[in-house]
Amino acid sequence: MLPMVPVLLLAAGCHDRHTPTASTKRLDFNQDVQPILASHCFACHGPDPEMRKAGLRLDLAEWAMKKRPGHPDAIVPGHPEQSELIKRIESRDPHYLMPRNAQGEAKPMKPEEIAVLKEWIREGAVYRPHWAFEKPVRPALPSVAANNSWIKTPIDAFILARMQKEGLHPSPEADKETLIRRVTLDLTGLLPTPAEVKAFKNDQSPQAYEHLVDNLLARPSFGEQRARYWLDYARYADTYGLHFDNSRDIWPYRDYLIRSFNNNKPFDQFAMEQIAGDMMPAKNLDPLIGSGYVRLGVSSNEGGTIPEELRVNIARERTEAFGATFMGLTVGCAVCHDHKYDPTTQKDFYSLSAFFNNIDERPFNGDRPVWTPVVRIPKAQNQEAYDVVFAKRSEIAAQLRTMRAQERGLVQQWLTSGQDRPQPVAADKLVLRLRLDEGGGELLNNTAPHATPASFPIGKSKPAWGETTWLWPDFRMDTGTRILLGQMGDYDWNQSFSSGGWMMLRSAPNYTVENTSGALISKMDTTQHNRGWDLSIEKGIVSVELVNEAPKEDDLKKAAVKKGKQKDETFHYPTPTDLTAKDLAPNKPPEKKQPAKKDAKKADKPKPKAPEAARDTTPRVAIVVSTVDALPLDGAWRHVFFTYDGSGKASGVKIYIDGAPVATHVVSDTLGHATIRTQAPMQLGWRWPDAAPARDTRYQDLRLYGRSLTADEAKRLPFEDYVAEVTATPTSEWSDDQWHAVSQFYLNSVNRMYRADQDQIAELNVRLDQLSEGGDLTLVAWEKPSLAYADVLTRGVYTARTERVEANTPHFLPPLPAGAPHDRLALARWVVSPDNPLTARVTVNRMWYELFGTGIVETTEDFGIMGDRPSHPELLDWLAVEFRESGWNIKHMYKLMVMSAAYRQSARSTPDQLAKDPKNLLLSHGPRFRMDAEMLRDIALQAGGLLVDKIGGPSVKPYQPPNVWEQVSYPTSDTVNYVQQHGDALYRRSMYTYWKRMAIMPDMDAFDAPMRDVVCTRRQRTDTPLQALVTMNDEQWVEAARALAQRVIIDGGRQPEQRIDLMSEILLSHDPRPQMAEVLEGSLAQMEKHYEADPKAARALVSVGEKKRDASIPAPELAAWTMVASEMLNLDETVTK
Amino acid sequence: MKQHPLCTDCEQAPNVMELPIPAGLKREWAAIETRRRFLGRSGKVLGWAALASLLGERGASGDAQSPSPPSRPLSPQALRLPMFAPKAKRAIYLFMSGGPPQMDLLDYKPNLAALYNQDIPDSVRGTQQLTGMTAGQTHFPIAPSHWSFKRYGKSGTWVSDLLPYTGQMADDLTIIKTTNTDAINHEPAIMLMNTGNMNAGKPCLGSWLSYGLGSMNDNLPTFMVLQTKVNDKENNQPVSSRLWSSGYLSSEYAGVGLRSGGDPVLYLSDPDGVDREVRRKMLDAVEAINRQTLAELGDPETNARIAQYEMAYRMQASVPELVDLSKEPQSTWDLYGPDAKEPGTFAYNCLLARRMAERGVRFTQVYKRGWDVHGNVTGVLPILCQETDRASYALVTDLKRRGLLDDTLVIWAGEFGRTVYSQGGLTHDNYGRDHHPRCFTTWMAGGGVRPGITYGETDEYSYNVVKDPVPVRDFNATILHCLGIDHNKLTYNFQGLDQKLTGTTPASVVQGLLA
């Protein structure tokens, strides 16, 4: 036990807002009570049912007051003494006392907290909904009697009222020099020039400050400064972040941000474009480029990656980032279980993640700088023409989208009309139909009419179920899964038969075209010279074989494979741009020392050194027919089917892909009348007994017919047959998947307008590709036409799927409009809908944080139960409503804030202010804090006259100490070597510096720049010795000091005082105070003495950096001034805003 | 109001400024408080952890400038960190990135020889997910270790012929055969091992220790990271600064890299043409002006900045002294071997780790990459062992000779183990091994752990744990325990949750490992 000692005063600042200040005022549930309940009680008596103890839930009134059999009433409104809750928290009995920590140890509340809870119950224990989940309404301005001459904007009325309540007083306005420096830094990230300072000081008009603000808001650097913050909120980086951590091309997204802020794009438009720009009508590429936001997170291509796991992780990361930036909620806490404090359930989390789970992409990236979906940006000279075509394409896409939104109605009309009814394929001689929709269990059902046998045992090694959905949740062969189908398919050369179904070949980082080769459906005995038949794939070439006997190693077929044309990897659905082979090529590591000797993939997976087997000289008596074109290994479902007419001739074999006959080679036609019958069982994925596995293939609706289907039947088999089956039942019984299948069929195959529109889009795509030739690529989002869904995962484990959920917004927030499709576009609209209580608040709060250093809600990322309460709740709501009603006008909001008297105050603090409000949350003086990493480097470059003011473009590589990338990277990563650039690249604004996630620029790192692995909505602000080392010793800072010295020597005049004045005007916007000038002059004298005595050292110092110095200045003089400039650059006042 | 008698909340603790402690400590406390002010919800533990470290390490000797010695010093225990008397004050973590093959090194499986090239039984493999690299294999042939094993020491520990030096220190080691992880690929696994979570964004072990225990010296960082030079013959999985990142903790707790090329600490050296004297004068001028700013604006932050510039100046002197090996006696080179003279080798880094331990660096992590032996095990593994075996032995022995091993915990671990079946082709001369999460071998030595034991048992395939599993969270809980920290109590409130290194799944200290 601790000795009785006074309460630690220093800690009081964090908690003063939770303590009621005056006894006369009734308690505010949200401000005063809920934080106490949340931090002490909700872990066991909150929203998470798994953790709930004694059936008591204290976050909702109806639960807290509910009678619990065998338990005394927790809360008796009006009667704290009868309330079990109070008895428990006041108890002296350690076995009875509450609350307890996770280890079950008693953790008593503080006396003042107990007092609040007692008072609250005495007042009637009134619950209120959590403040942030209620729609903000514009509050009346507080009436502030005294001192209202101080008030300049409505903001000030709220600030002043609160200060008065706490006995604080506002500070006087800062002097003009301080003001122009502060506002210029905040709005542009750069210093005002001495000339600007002078002009502002001389402008005596009452509008001088407002004119200055308007001028700053109109500068291009405004957009850069805002975009710089947004890059953290969006987790922008130039590499994909894991394993190889290769480069990734998405810098056009950064340019999009700058453009958007400079054009003052309304925030609702801005937010929607980033969430769903690919689905919005558009006149140019901007919205689509903006949708790159969704894909900014980390990605991987590690060799052993399990795609299902990575896909879940990527959707999770996107959801967490979205939650922090747009909702201000820590939704990620609900990955494993219902949120312990917020009402976010696990189901809410996965429903939200589903919006980001339906993008036409593979989860791994092939170690490439771009991976689809991407868009190619036309070069400037083609942009106008491109935009015309793009707008047209967008209009048609919108029509398609409208039709899809109405698809269920259209399907109803179609079915009622009786026209174009889907025709089933006759079930005549259908002997095997494996739907493979069992979802688990020990048996696979044969759903062919009168099937014998009616089912097949799965065997010991189970398949994976339900990882993706096609016609229905799917089935995937796992390593070792054997599906033995007995003597099904026991046909001879003179019998006709057909077989095939929907299949998806494995697509994963280490699944190359080579190792996905194998038997898809087979009844073939490799111990009997391959007698039997099978449908197989090798390097993408599909083959049908009917074999009497054949050599083990099939050289003939290999020859056919070589002839097969390997298609470029494209996607099944139209994407904005298909990639060329050049785009698909991985970046090469930059050529520098130690070129990698061995290929990384080889290192990951050594080639087995199989001993050369004796050559099999069995003659070939077989039909072998192979497709001419290879199927791409792109993770898409394809319907693969063949028919054989019993003629004993290769011409009797036809192969269909997605219902269409495809061109084939005859590889062998020597079967004649030889038998193909074998005792080996028919199986999926293997040849008997254990050869040629087509690993991890997914299957659906597999068929075997004892006849040769006609071309027309083969065409109807993939979709129409199934749709005919579904439409034979009443629509009221259809599942969402069935609706989806029928709608897709109707739109793609029946609705002529839809098809015509699609054809037109295909034509326009060709035109767009031509017009964008040679342009830069950037990653974008691109929605699949499938249903957006996700699986709820027990404890977040990717294999532990429990319930499939459709995309949806959290249940405790306003719902999506009835009847609208649940997709990203709906989410985007929802985010900025007038009913959304969070978006406007969260966004204005971050603006406030950028300017004032701390948000009105300090936890910018968490507006939930455990987040901080707003220091000025009414002000926050007022700003949120103002933002929305201004048409989401971003510049308007920044202007409003910087025009406030609160913002314009002097930063000088008194001991009284520090004692009452150490964090200055109540703003009794102006904001003052150390600048962010990028701003610091930028102003150093600017002060030295080095800064290059080019906007946008690819990232650049300025100075970096050696061996920063090299010592952490994978040897064949394209970011293993840092190759510094020269010239202008050294002096661009820091937001353009190349951002490698695994090793960010060490100077940025030292000043708390985040790695951008995950979303960051507020940076830490630390003081460490490493920061001092950067600003004293980093080459670019030394060079900047030298450039600044040179500048004041040339421009400042002959006298040291004049030069020091100019240096101070450049960096601090004011003349040096006399004491400061004295110190600097004294230091200058010392440095001059030192460097005159040691000219060699002087020359060494002034040679740092690549910018040529002015040789007319003697080295000792420049060196001495360089040290003075370095002193100035390292001042607290310089690095502080 | 009276404090609740059962209250152990440290917020109810004394006002530091009123405590009878040296004035210098109060000043440092004030500086820490200033920083705290900027860390948002950093909360109580940070402050108290930091203060505890100041008092714990230097409170006893007092402050040279203090006019009167403390009349009633507070023990570190009263301040709750360390939470109980620690066995180790510092730790050195030798991280074997890539996943060493346990059955070729320390998990002796003599019966495997008879099973050469036989498929591993399905009953053993069970439902273990395979990586994408072997999922395509038809067979999973058992690859017995190419090397013989011998027994060493009084403990009779079986050690592979690849590790003759490790064998010599067998009686000092606490070998854990049953470490196991949930991750099967490098990125998530290495993150889980270092930060307790497979996804990025969490603080690492070293950051938690710095945050909880603070610094033991005035001149060097609390947590330092050493990278071993890459050997091109090996398969070098990447490491990244997120492994020594402080995550949501303040970035002052992140590991500071000590580099073998260029400046040992980034930006440490004064620029060309700036000597110590010039630097001192420059800093004097900066401080003089900053004091004016402080007087004018009253921002405590300015005070903190003045202190950090002084710390930077001290580091500029102390780091070069740290890496100056010229005064090391011949016995050092005899022990560590000739490699230790070459900067960036594992041996050199082990020697530096010992020097850091002597100088009060709280946590040193040495990364050695290259253990990802998917193929050519017989070609690559001897190289890896040659690089690390002697140096690891030298470090432990050196610490022991200097009396430092008693309060230094040395940890040797990778992120997972490797499969008993061969990846790719198996021949009598060579094989490959894929990632294996279900069991892998690690060891500890020194402060807090029981020497000369082997903990846990694996099945005869080194595939499954049959007795005493040690999941990563228990492994980390045990490390914290040795340093005097209850892993359940070293928490940081972030996103509304008391976050901790060992995560949300209940973890426990492995009592069987403790001395």
Side-chain angles (χ1 to χ4, degrees), chain B residues 82-105:
Chain B
M83 286 143 180
F84 40 85
K87 293 279 172 39
K89 278 189 198 159
R90 64 188 85 75
I92 297 170
Y93 199 141
L94 309 176
F95 198 90
M96 302 296 126
S97 166
Q102 70 277 12
M103 64 292 286
D104 292 313
L105 301 176

Side-chain angles (χ1 to χ4, degrees), chain A residues 448-598:
Chain A
H450 322 292
T452 42
S455 65
F456 303 93
I458 289 179
K460 249 191 336 198
S461 183
K462 300 291 179 244
W465 292 104
E467 290 174 335
T468 69
T469 294
W470 183 236
L471 300 177
W472 44 73
D474 72 357
F475 158 100
R476 176 170 66 80
M477 300 281 281
D478 206 347
T479 310
T481 306
R482 293 298 182 104
I483 303 299
L484 298 178
L485 302 168
Q487 290 308 310
M488 304 298 302
D490 183 16
Y491 299 111
D492 209 343
W493 71 272
N494 57 357
Q495 291 174 290
S496 58
F497 63 102
S498 311
S499 188
W502 282 108
M503 300 171 200
M504 191 209 283
L505 302 174
R506 188 61 162 170
S507 171
N510 227 55
Y511 279 72
T512 61
V513 173
E514 279 80 9
N515 64 16
T516 44
S517 296
L520 297 167
I521 305 173
S522 170
K523 188 173 191 309
M524 181 177 278
D525 192 342
T526 59
T527 64
Q528 300 292 324
H529 303 292
N530 290 351
R531 179 164 299 170
W533 61 268
D534 84 352
L535 174 70
S536 66
I537 187 159
E538 181 146 351
K539 297 185 181 175
I541 300 290
V542 176
S543 296
V544 174
E545 295 171 69
L546 290 83
V547 180
N548 172 267
E549 59 176 352
K552 220 172 188 173
E553 285 296 307
D554 213 335
D555 293 338
L556 264 180
K557 221 172 74 197
K558 276 196 180 138
V561 166
K562 272 184 204 140
K563 277 183 230 151
K565 192 171 133 246
Q566 187 70 43
K567 277 189 189 167
D568 286 339
E569 284 187 55
T570 54
F571 278 76
H572 210 43
Y573 308 109
T575 66
T577 303
D578 286 339
L579 297 177
T580 65
K582 187 165 156 266
D583 300 326
L584 289 166
N587 274 8
K588 291 220 165 54
E591 285 189 20
K592 210 177 154 184
K593 56 180 184 180
Q594 49 170 356
K597 279 177 200 136
K598 56 183 175 178

Side-chain angles (χ1 to χ4, degrees), chain A residues 84-85 118 153 244 363 416 436 493 519 524 681 743 760 783 787 890 974 980 986 1025 1075 1133:
Chain A
E84 178 71 2
L85 186 154
K118 282 168 92 170
T153 65
F244 277 29
T416 316
L436 302 171
W493 71 272
M524 181 177 278
S743 302
Q760 214 183 335
E783 187 78 348
L787 296 170
I890 294 172
D974 71 0
Q980 186 216 296
L986 299 176
Q1075 282 173 301
E1133 202 182 339

Side-chain angles (χ1 to χ4, degrees), chain A residues 2 169 181 214 257 433 488 511 533 673 684 748 774 1041 1118:
Chain A
L2 284 171
H169 304 284
R181 186 173 187 270
D214 288 339
L257 294 181
R433 185 178 181 198
M488 304 298 302
Y511 279 72
W533 61 268
H673 294 185
L684 301 184
N748 288 313
L1118 186 56

Side-chain angles (χ1 to χ4, degrees), chain A residues 598 600 603-604 970, chain B residues 233-237 370-372 374 380:
Chain A
K598 56 183 175 178
D604 263 1
Y970 199 94
Chain B
K233 296 193 185 81
E234 297 160 5
N235 184 23
N236 292 287
Q237 292 301 318
W371 290 95
D372 193 27
H374 286 281
V380 178

Side-chain angles (χ1 to χ4, degrees), chain B residues 50-366:
Chain B
L51 179 64
S53 74
L54 294 177
L55 290 172
E57 299 303 331
R58 283 178 287 135
S61 60
D63 182 335
Q65 292 152 25
S66 170
S68 58
S71 57
R72 191 169 60 107
L74 282 175
S75 70
Q77 281 84 350
L79 295 164
R80 299 156 45 75
L81 263 175
M83 286 143 180
F84 40 85
K87 293 279 172 39
K89 278 189 198 159
R90 64 188 85 75
I92 297 170
Y93 199 141
L94 309 176
F95 198 90
M96 302 296 126
S97 166
Q102 70 277 12
M103 64 292 286
D104 292 313
L105 301 176
L106 292 164
D107 195 8
Y108 182 41
K109 297 296 171 196
N111 297 338
L112 289 178
L115 301 173
Y116 172 81
N117 204 21
Q118 293 184 22
D119 258 69
I120 181 171
D122 282 349
S123 59
V124 174
R125 192 155 59 81
T127 56
Q128 175 61 49
Q129 178 78 51
L130 306 175
T131 77
M133 285 171 290
T134 41
Q137 278 184 209
T138 320
H139 296 290
F140 300 94
I142 288 166
S145 182
H146 182 75
W147 292 274
S148 309
F149 280 61
K150 281 198 222 19
R151 305 191 77 150
Y152 287 90
K154 286 183 202 144
S155 53
T157 307
W158 285 102
V159 178
S160 162
D161 286 354
L162 284 168
L163 302 173
Y165 284 94
T166 301
Q168 288 180 48
M169 60 170 169
D171 287 344
D172 291 322
L173 300 185
T174 309
I175 295 171
I176 309 164
K177 288 190 175 173
T178 49
T179 336
N180 60 85
T181 176
D182 298 328
I184 193 168
N185 280 302
H186 296 286
E187 285 286 356
I190 198 166
M191 234 117 61
L192 180 69
M193 202 67 188
N194 277 282
T195 73
N197 196 298
M198 283 194 234
N199 294 306
K202 307 291 190 291
C204 66
L205 172 64
S207 294
W208 279 109
L209 288 174
S210 312
Y211 159 69
L213 298 174
S215 174
M216 292 195 286
N217 75 83
D218 284 330
N219 314 314
L220 289 171
T222 310
F223 166 23
M224 300 201 74
V225 178
L226 302 171
Q227 299 278 347
T228 303
K229 278 199 303 197
V230 172
N231 181 340
D232 285 342
K233 296 193 185 81
E234 297 160 5
N235 184 23
N236 292 287
Q237 292 301 318
V239 292
S240 79
S241 52
R242 72 171 70 89
L243 300 176
W244 47 95
S245 144
S246 57
Y248 43 72
L249 296 177
S250 169
S251 39
E252 70 200 278
Y253 303 119
V256 173
L258 192 67
R259 299 139 38 84
S260 52
D263 277 349
V265 168
L266 282 166
Y267 312 114
L268 185 79
S269 300
D270 290 318
D272 287 348
V274 174
D275 58 23
R276 290 267 80 193
E277 183 197 341
V278 169
R279 175 60 70 217
R280 184 67 259 168
K281 284 176 178 155
M282 177 264 183
L283 282 172
D284 288 345
V286 170
E287 180 173 349
I289 298 171
N290 283 348
R291 292 216 176 277
Q292 294 166 16
T293 307
L294 178 63
E296 191 186 340
L297 295 174
D299 185 350
E301 179 73 359
T302 309
N303 213 9
R305 183 154 294 113
I306 293 169
Q308 296 304 344
Y309 272 81
E310 281 307 304
M311 171 75 175
Y313 182 76
R314 290 197 300 272
M315 263 176 70
Q316 286 190 298
S318 51
V319 172
E321 189 278 330
L322 168 70
V323 299
D324 174 10
L325 306 181
S326 61
K327 298 198 179 66
E328 284 290 338
Q330 184 56 38
S331 57
T332 296
W333 310 115
D334 294 343
L335 183 58
Y336 286 83
D339 282 1
K341 288 196 170 168
E342 189 189 334
T345 61
F346 185 72
Y348 174 87
N349 285 341
C350 283
L351 175 55
L352 279 190
R354 186 266 285 162
R355 290 176 64 89
M356 289 186 214
E358 288 176 314
R359 284 159 182 76
V361 172
R362 180 72 72 180
F363 186 66
T364 304
Q365 196 160 17
V366 182

